[in-house]
């Protein structure tokens, strides 16, 4: 099981502009290696600068995992944001308390969120109640044909925590209807993965800019 504790991504040869007093603007190209050490230095000088997005997921056949991973990729576009990518069975109250924002990703099973995801909420709901008020979140659902009920369940729990949704849930329907198709490994299409990636990037950008 892959668990990403820190997800830093830097664009190769990204151009930045430096304003230097009494001189003209200089255009400088900084390698990803140098940017990584610069970000680490900023964190050491100001540890409060680094915020964390917790991505809690459960996946039976791989579809939800792909969606959550795409969201993590998008969030990693912000070097000031740390990604805690944790399976729902391993996530607990401390993960929620130590994070500034959340993405909840679940398959829909029998018109409900998965049992593992439900158990995560059961274990964490009361320990963090009134302690994470106002934090932003988003929802990803991988469903066979609907997904709305699973999204509503997560919304009700998040409303009890008084979290702030940053977007409508992303629901991807695989249209798997037979037992064989439902249990088969899933492959999420590029269009839907891009939607998940953009959601992660939006959440990370808003967090980095203190919009949320």
């Amino acid at each position: 099981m892959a668990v990403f504790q820190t997800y830093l991504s830097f664009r190769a040869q990204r151009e930045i502009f430096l304003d230097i007093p009494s001189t003209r603007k200089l255009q400088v190209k900084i390698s990803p290696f140098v940017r990584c050490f610069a970000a680490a230095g900023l964190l050491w000088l100001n540890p409060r600068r680094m915020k964390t997005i917790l991505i809690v997921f459960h996946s039976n056949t791989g579809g939800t995992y792909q969606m959550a991973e795409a969201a993590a990729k998008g969030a990693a576009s912000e070097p000031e944001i740390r990604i805690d990518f944790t399976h729902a069975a391993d996530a607990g109250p401390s993960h929620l308390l130590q994070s500034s924002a959340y993405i909840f990703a679940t398959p829909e099973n029998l018109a409900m969120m998965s049992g593992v995801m439900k158990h995560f909420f059961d274990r964490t709901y009361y320990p963090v109640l009134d302690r994470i008020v106002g934090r932003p979140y988003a929802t990803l659902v991988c469903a066979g044909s609907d997904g709305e009920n699973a999204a509503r369940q997560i919304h009700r729990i998040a409303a009890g925590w008084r979290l702030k949704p940053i977007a409508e849930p992303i629901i991807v329907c695989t249209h798997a209807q037979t037992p064989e198709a439902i249990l088969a490994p899933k492959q999420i299409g590029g269009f839907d993965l891009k939607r998940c990636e953009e959601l992660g990037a939006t959440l990370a950008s808003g967090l980095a800019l203190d919009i949320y």
Side-chain angles (χ1 to χ4, degrees), residues 128-208:
V128 305
L129 188 63
D130 294 328
R131 302 172 70 185
I132 57 173
V133 174
R135 297 182 190 181
Y137 83 98
T139 301
L140 307 175
V141 177
C142 184
S145 58
D146 185 27
E148 294 287 347
N149 197 49
R152 280 193 294 267
Q153 287 180 313
I154 292 177
H155 174 74
R156 285 195 292 268
I157 293 168
W161 277 337
R162 287 182 284 170
L163 302 180
K164 297 185 299 185
I166 66 149
E168 291 295 317
I170 291 181
I171 300 174
V172 175
C173 292
T174 64
H175 304 291
Q177 297 299 312
T178 66
E180 294 77 16
I182 291 170
L183 296 174
K186 303 299 186 295
Q187 183 61 52
I188 305 302
F191 173 78
D192 288 319
L193 291 178
K194 188 65 177 177
R195 293 167 62 206
C196 297
E197 184 177 338
E198 290 173 352
L199 180 68
T202 298
L203 179 57
S205 296
L207 204 59

Side-chain angles (χ1 to χ4, degrees), residues 57-58 60 87-89 113-121 123:
F57 71 95
H58 174 241
N60 288 318
H87 192 279
M113 75 174 87
S114 71
V116 176
M117 199 71 182
K118 174 65 163 54
H119 189 231
F120 157 73
F121 286 118
R123 290 184 290 104

Side-chain angles (χ1 to χ4, degrees), residues 8-181:
L8 289 176
S9 175
F10 300 94
R11 296 174 183 170
Q13 298 297 314
R14 197 177 193 178
E15 292 185 354
I16 67 169
F17 290 88
L18 300 179
D19 285 323
I20 301 176
S22 304
T23 65
R24 61 185 178 84
K25 288 184 177 179
L26 299 178
Q27 190 178 47
V28 182
K29 290 185 177 181
I30 298 180
S31 70
F33 183 77
V34 173
R35 286 178 59 82
C36 183
F37 275 92
L42 286 173
L43 176 60
W44 181 78
L45 290 171
N46 185 9
R48 294 183 180 178
R49 189 179 181 88
M50 186 69 77
K51 297 179 180 179
T52 298
I53 294 176
L54 172 64
I55 301 178
V56 181
F57 71 95
H58 174 241
S59 186
N60 288 318
T61 58
T64 308
Y65 178 86
Q66 294 166 48
M67 294 170 66
E69 191 174 44
K73 179 182 176 182
S77 61
E78 286 292 338
E80 295 179 5
I81 300 300
R82 175 180 175 272
I83 312 302
D84 183 351
F85 190 83
T86 301
H87 192 279
D90 301 319
S94 63
H95 292 82
L96 290 161
L97 294 172
Q98 294 168 9
S99 301
S100 304
Y102 315 104
I103 296 177
F104 304 117
T106 183
E108 184 177 68
N109 298 335
L110 302 175
M112 296 180 290
M113 75 174 87
S114 71
V116 176
M117 199 71 182
K118 174 65 163 54
H119 189 231
F120 157 73
F121 286 118
D122 287 342
R123 290 184 290 104
T124 60
Y125 186 82
Y126 288 106
V128 305
L129 188 63
D130 294 328
R131 302 172 70 185
I132 57 173
V133 174
R135 297 182 190 181
Y137 83 98
T139 301
L140 307 175
V141 177
C142 184
S145 58
D146 185 27
E148 294 287 347
N149 197 49
R152 280 193 294 267
Q153 287 180 313
I154 292 177
H155 174 74
R156 285 195 292 268
I157 293 168
W161 277 337
R162 287 182 284 170
L163 302 180
K164 297 185 299 185
I166 66 149
E168 291 295 317
I170 291 181
I171 300 174
V172 175
C173 292
T174 64
H175 304 291
Q177 297 299 312
T178 66
E180 294 77 16

